[in-house]
Amino acid sequence: MSNKPATIKEIAKILKISVSTVSRALNDHSSIGLVTKQRVKKLAADLNYEPNQRAIQFLHGKSFVIGVILPELSESFFSEAISGIEDIAYKRNYTVLLAQSHDDAEREKLLVEKMKTQRVDGLLVSVSKTTSTYEHFEMFKKVNIPVVFFDRIPPLKDIHYVASNLETGTYEAVNFLLKKGHRTIGMINGPNTLLASHERKEGYIKAMVSNRLKFDPSLVISCDLSEASTITAMDAMLNHKRKPAAIVTFNDYVALFAMRYARSLNLSGIDFVSYANLPIISYMDYSPIASVEQFPYRQGKKAADILIDLINKPKSQSEVEQAYFNIVVESELIVSKLP
Amino acid sequence: MSNKPATIKEIAKILKISVSTVSRALNDHSSIGLVTKQRVKKLAADLNYEPNQRAIQFLHGKSFVIGVILPELSESFFSEAISGIEDIAYKRNYTVLLAQSHDDAEREKLLVEKMKTQRVDGLLVSVSKTTSTYEHFEMFKKVNIPVVFFDRIPPLKDIHYVASNLETGTYEAVNFLLKKGHRTIGMINGPNTLLASHERKEGYIKAMVSNRLKFDPSLVISCDLSEASTITAMDAMLNHKRKPAAIVTFNDYVALFAMRYARSLNLSGIDFVSYANLPIISYMDYSPIASVEQFPYRQGKKAADILIDLINKPKSQSEVEQAYFNIVVESELIVSKLP
DNA sequence: AACCAGTGTGCAAACGATTGCGCCAAATTA
DNA sequence: TAATTTGGCGCAATCGTTTGCACACTGGTT
């Protein structure tokens, strides 16, 4: 009963006109008379006609699908980013094919393969932590399928990407602490290999310098983001000849570890500032007094927009004049509301 | 330059055989000679031939896509569930079309519409909190597209669903507390309208009764899950003539609020048990001593498996003999490891 | 010599929608 | 009145793949 969806053919047969007329009528083509249009549209509505997307995709040689590969949806940065991607895709009539690499380079490679066999029209990627080779992405370029990276950018030339610049947010953060009266500010940073660590450090330095303070490198300590490593860093801070009165931490986890450790030593009064990645942290007894926000939703939207623009861009005649989008979303300091 | 992907036609032309032979050779059809098969496969590999999925989907009248609508990816229950869904879909050669309702009934309706125009082969849904009408799902049934609900199940007859039974986990939780020596155990439950609240209460009662203790209804207090409401419930607990020495809370947020409130009153020694929904909670200074786990990944896998089974099931001759899958994934108590 | 079985291959239709081209009639113009 | 425009519509090809059917061989059995 009421089984197969209606097709354009059936409409044509019932109305005793040709399928081309029906198609044109539904698409408001100028060469179709008003009465015919209305008759067709009426019947289409009655039959609950909906165009078969697979047929259209097939005809156009396009899938209207964008692939999205990201490390972990359970990280709130990514679950928020995917909302932005989804919203744009929806608005621009694209569909999202989502997959998680779970920070596994092998799996990421497989997923990229699958995206290719699925013939996505474009790819949005935030690369896995363990990824060290990038040929699988290069393949896409060869077949002219645009790839846009976001947040976790591979060290490649000539790519499109959207990422946040943590320098500005960090600058604001340190400035905020200085304005609050702190003179000695520490930073528990991430591994030096990460671009993100570098940006944080640069922001820190700029803030110090622009306030006519001299930058003390020994107050910026790297850690590997584990609790143990955070505690080691904290020990170094606390034994420093200039013990910091405020500390900027690489992320909320590190802040959590550091704050807990400080309390376990019965130390209070140190102000912490972090980078927002755990929404739950605001519910907690102790939380950073301010946070650098990276606007994942906004980044997701932007990246999706760029990707779809690229998909629909007429092919550039010469490869040379190809422009690469390198969009930087500025980060921003959000000061916690007092309870 | 290496533009369009290779097609079966090109292979046929190069090898001077017909497309049907090529197709059959690639699919290992028995009527094709060994030599021909090998020649075809060799060339296909050389040309990086991959079958055009859109063409195949179009031909079969199937999309090999399952739609997934869930409330919020940032809730870890769902982000874990989607991993299970993805994994099964990948394994069984389906593709996932994901969308979030953000707990908005209107949006959910729109998304269901979109899924229909996209002609998904099946639908997996966890309904939004604000959804109160269900016709949009009924539509799918009419056109014979299977729908499987998971976790948040609508109050409908004759539906497929996968959900966890919180009764068993709650039973274990209360039992655990009793074994630990507590005689008076309180429960801060959710709204009575929720099935989940009911299951928790039943588990609580069963545990008490099976330990020959009498059930005191005044020790099970409902709240609306807000902090204020949790505090009200806690006040009632603490002023109870039999002040509970252990409390089971509806979820981790409620546990967080309650524990914080207890500490603010300088109360310690109350044992809390909760239902796992915030992975971060184990990182915190104070956390429940045990948690009822609902295995979202497992639920997601199960739901996806059932859906794909339904999609591929030969049509039942009579509507009557249609069987409905009502799968219950038992919940389970996980006792926190001591640090 | 006629028949059959098996093996290997090609022809052509089908899936649903779009679109360039051509055709016919009515309306306008010369 | 004849010539030209134009509004309205149909024909048929096209996209890539699968598949039922027909056909042409070869080799073996009556």
Side-chain angles (χ1 to χ4, degrees):
Chain A
M1 47 217 63
S2 78
N3 230 347
K4 295 292 162 208
T7 71
I8 225 173
K9 268 187 194 170
E10 294 166 6
I11 298 183
K13 189 182 288 180
I14 296 176
L15 260 37
K16 295 190 197 305
I17 56 181
S18 76
V19 288
S20 28
T21 304
V22 176
S23 172
R24 279 186 261 253
L26 291 172
N27 292 313
D28 270 327
H29 195 280
S30 63
S31 76
I32 302 295
L34 195 59
V35 274
T36 316
K37 267 185 194 170
Q38 286 178 339
R39 290 202 325 139
V40 171
K41 285 184 179 174
K42 173 75 168 56
L43 183 60
D46 289 350
L47 293 179
N48 285 318
Y49 169 79
E50 297 193 24
N52 183 332
Q53 297 300 321
R54 308 299 139 193
I56 295 176
Q57 292 169 4
F58 171 51
L59 179 68
H60 285 64
K62 278 191 58 172
S63 62
F64 294 94
V65 171
I66 61 179
V68 178
I69 300 180
L70 40 76
E72 272 293 335
L73 274 176
S74 55
E75 280 187 35
S76 74
F77 179 91
F78 293 116
S79 67
E80 287 175 40
I82 193 70
S83 294
I85 295 172
E86 260 182 19
D87 286 352
I88 291 298
Y90 185 95
K91 205 172 291 172
R92 301 186 61 173
N93 256 299
Y94 276 75
T95 269
V96 173
L97 177 51
L98 178 67
Q100 305 177 63
S101 67
H102 297 297
D103 272 321
D104 173 350
E106 271 314 304
R107 193 168 211 265
E108 182 179 274
K109 220 169 184 169
L110 253 69
L111 293 174
V112 172
E113 272 305 323
K114 180 142 197 237
M115 297 287 177
K116 208 181 46 155
T117 71
Q118 282 295 326
R119 280 187 163 60
V120 297
D121 289 339
L123 197 58
L124 227 46
V125 184
S126 192
V127 301
S128 120
K129 270 177 194 158
T130 60
T131 301
S132 55
T133 64
Y134 306 95
E135 300 90 29
H136 43 306
F137 299 125
E138 304 279 7
M139 280 191 351
F140 268 75
K141 250 174 120 168
K142 278 204 195 106
V143 292
N144 267 316
I145 299 175
V147 179
V148 174
F149 295 93
F150 73 100
D151 192 53
R152 303 231 205 122
I153 314 298
L156 297 175
K157 290 278 163 219
D158 295 346
I159 55 172
H160 307 284
Y161 69 77
V162 174
S164 71
N165 180 359
L166 297 167
E167 195 177 310
T168 54
T170 307
Y171 177 87
E172 287 177 39
V174 175
N175 237 337
F176 163 75
L177 291 170
L178 289 171
K179 287 239 168 61
K180 217 163 166 287
H182 297 301
R183 291 294 102 187
T184 320
I185 296 171
M187 169 175 269
I188 304 184
N189 208 353
N192 284 322
T193 49
L194 293 184
L195 177 62
S197 299
H198 189 252
E199 290 175 356
R200 282 167 170 84
K201 190 170 176 180
E202 285 304 310
Y204 175 96
I205 296 175
K206 279 219 177 120
M208 296 305 267
V209 168
S210 77
N211 280 274
R212 298 166 197 285
L213 295 168
K214 82 162 196 284
F215 161 58
D216 180 350
S218 66
L219 281 172
V220 177
I221 304 179
S222 291
C223 78
D224 66 7
L225 310 183
S226 71
E227 175 153 23
S229 170
T230 302
I231 289 177
T232 308
M234 274 298 281
D235 275 333
M237 288 282 175
L238 300 174
N239 294 323
H240 198 280
K241 56 184 189 292
R242 302 169 58 210
K243 197 177 103 183
I247 297 178
V248 178
T249 59
F250 185 83
N251 66 22
D252 281 341
Y253 286 102
V254 172
L256 219 58
F257 299 146
M259 291 165 63
R260 174 156 66 188
Y261 184 62
R263 278 202 308 289
S264 76
L265 300 176
N266 273 314
L267 287 172
S268 63
I270 301 181
D271 278 345
F272 283 89
V273 170
S274 176
Y275 294 77
N277 64 325
L278 293 176
I280 178 66
I281 207 165
S282 59
Y283 284 93
M284 299 181 37
D285 297 5
Y286 304 95
S287 56
I289 61 168
S291 227
V292 176
E293 175 60 50
Q294 302 176 58
F295 307 107
Y297 179 81
R298 216 179 287 175
Q299 280 194 52
K301 278 182 91 160
K302 192 72 200 167
D305 254 330
I306 290 178
L307 181 64
I308 299 180
D309 285 348
L310 286 169
I311 291 173
N312 294 318
K313 203 175 60 171
K315 305 216 195 314
S316 58
Q317 292 75 342
S318 63
E319 288 274 337
V320 199
E321 62 160 321
Q322 171 101 17
Y324 289 93
F325 289 95
N326 298 337
I327 303 291
V328 173
V329 174
E330 299 299 341
S331 56
E332 202 173 279
L333 188 74
I334 309 280
V335 177
S336 312
K337 287 178 284 293
L338 291 179
Chain B
M1 45 217 66
S2 78
N3 230 347
K4 295 293 161 207
T7 73
I8 225 173
K9 268 188 193 168
E10 294 166 5
I11 299 184
K13 189 180 287 178
I14 295 177
L15 259 35
K16 294 191 196 307
I17 56 180
S18 76
V19 288
S20 27
T21 303
V22 176
S23 172
R24 278 186 262 253
L26 290 171
N27 292 312
D28 270 326
H29 196 279
S30 63
S31 75
I32 301 295
L34 195 59
V35 274
T36 316
K37 266 185 196 170
Q38 287 177 339
R39 288 201 326 137
V40 170
K41 284 184 180 174
K42 174 75 170 57
L43 183 59
D46 289 350
L47 293 179
N48 286 317
Y49 168 78
E50 297 192 26
N52 183 332
Q53 297 300 321
R54 308 299 140 193
I56 294 175
Q57 293 169 3
F58 170 53
L59 181 66
H60 285 63
K62 278 190 59 171
S63 63
F64 293 94
V65 171
I66 61 179
V68 177
I69 300 180
L70 40 75
E72 272 293 335
L73 273 177
S74 54
E75 280 188 35
S76 73
F77 180 91
F78 294 116
S79 67
E80 287 176 40
I82 193 69
S83 294
I85 296 171
E86 258 182 21
D87 286 352
I88 291 297
Y90 185 94
K91 206 172 290 173
R92 301 187 61 172
N93 255 300
Y94 276 75
T95 269
V96 172
L97 177 51
L98 178 67
Q100 304 177 64
S101 66
H102 297 298
D103 272 319
D104 173 350
E106 272 313 305
R107 194 168 210 264
E108 183 179 273
K109 219 168 184 170
L110 252 68
L111 293 175
V112 172
E113 273 304 325
K114 178 135 199 246
M115 296 287 176
K116 210 182 45 157
T117 70
Q118 282 296 325
R119 281 189 165 56
V120 296
D121 290 338
L123 198 57
L124 227 45
V125 184
S126 192
V127 301
S128 119
K129 271 178 194 158
T130 60
T131 301
S132 54
T133 64
Y134 305 96
E135 301 90 29
H136 44 305
F137 299 125
E138 304 279 8
M139 279 191 351
F140 268 74
K141 252 173 118 169
K142 279 205 196 106
V143 293
N144 267 316
I145 298 175
V147 179
V148 173
F149 295 94
F150 73 101
D151 192 53
R152 303 232 204 120
I153 315 297
L156 298 175
K157 291 276 163 221
D158 296 345
I159 55 171
H160 307 284
Y161 70 77
V162 174
S164 72
N165 180 358
L166 297 167
E167 195 177 310
T168 54
T170 307
Y171 177 87
E172 288 177 38
V174 176
N175 237 336
F176 164 76
L177 290 171
L178 290 170
K179 287 239 167 62
K180 219 164 165 283
H182 298 301
R183 291 295 102 185
T184 319
I185 297 171
M187 170 176 269
I188 303 184
N189 209 354
N192 283 322
T193 49
L194 292 185
L195 176 63
S197 299
H198 189 251
E199 290 175 355
R200 281 167 170 85
K201 189 171 177 180
E202 286 303 309
Y204 176 95
I205 295 176
K206 278 216 178 123
M208 295 306 266
V209 168
S210 77
N211 281 272
R212 301 167 192 285
L213 295 168
K214 80 161 200 283
F215 162 58
D216 180 350
S218 66
L219 280 173
V220 177
I221 304 178
S222 291
C223 78
D224 66 6
L225 310 184
S226 71
E227 175 153 23
S229 170
T230 301
I231 288 176
T232 309
M234 275 297 280
D235 276 333
M237 289 283 174
L238 299 174
N239 295 324
H240 198 279
K241 56 185 186 293
R242 301 168 58 212
K243 197 178 105 184
I247 297 177
V248 178
T249 59
F250 185 84
N251 65 23
D252 282 341
Y253 286 102
V254 173
L256 218 58
F257 299 146
M259 291 166 63
R260 174 155 67 190
Y261 183 61
R263 277 201 311 289
S264 77
L265 299 176
N266 272 315
L267 287 171
S268 64
I270 301 180
D271 277 346
F272 283 89
V273 170
S274 174
Y275 295 76
N277 65 326
L278 292 177
I280 178 67
I281 207 167
S282 59
Y283 285 93
M284 299 182 36
D285 296 6
Y286 304 95
S287 56
I289 61 168
S291 226
V292 177
E293 175 60 50
Q294 303 176 58
F295 306 107
Y297 179 81
R298 218 179 286 175
Q299 281 194 50
K301 277 181 91 159
K302 192 73 198 167
D305 255 330
I306 291 178
L307 180 64
I308 299 181
D309 285 347
L310 286 168
I311 291 173
N312 294 319
K313 202 175 60 173
K315 305 222 196 310
S316 59
Q317 293 75 342
S318 63
E319 289 274 338
V320 197
E321 63 161 320
Q322 169 102 17
Y324 289 93
F325 289 96
N326 298 335
I327 304 290
V328 173
V329 174
E330 299 299 340
S331 57
E332 202 173 280
L333 188 75
I334 309 281
V335 178
S336 311
K337 287 178 286 293
L338 293 178

